[in-house]
Amino acid sequence: MSIIGTILVGFIVGLIARAVKPGNDRMGIIMTTLLGIAGAFVARFIGQAMGLYGPNDPAGWIASVIGAVILLFLFAMVRGRRGV
């Protein structure tokens, strides 16, 4: 997939993840896109560890959103500890 496609998919996954997770996640468009891309990487890593994906298989949409939601919860926990 091209870099533009990766950015577009990351943005869509990030938007869906932010809509699914309750609470106010104050992020801009760039952080939302990076969240979606990182969520896809997390989903692929966990899927490969569980034997669901092969070495060259990309993560699916639902798995990517779940990975992004996991990252949002971790981000909220870290932000909460800092007192921000």
Side-chain angles (χ1 to χ4, degrees):
M1 182 182 298
S2 69
I3 213 69
I4 300 296
T6 302
I7 291 170
L8 182 63
V9 168
F11 178 66
I12 293 169
V13 166
L15 283 178
I16 294 170
R18 287 183 57 198
V20 168
K21 181 191 170 286
N24 183 12
D25 300 312
R26 297 177 2 195
M27 296 181 170
I29 192 168
I30 294 174
M31 286 302 293
T32 299
T33 304
L34 292 176
L35 169 73
I37 293 170
F41 281 118
V42 167
R44 183 175 179 202
F45 177 75
I46 292 172
Q48 283 181 351
M50 294 173 56
L52 300 173
Y53 299 124
N56 294 324
D57 294 339
W61 282 90
I62 296 173
S64 297
V65 170
I66 292 170
V69 169
I70 290 170
L71 290 176
L72 273 175
F73 276 113
L74 291 175
F75 183 70
M77 287 174 43
V78 169
R79 187 188 319 186
R81 287 188 186 153
R82 284 194 331 212
V84 175

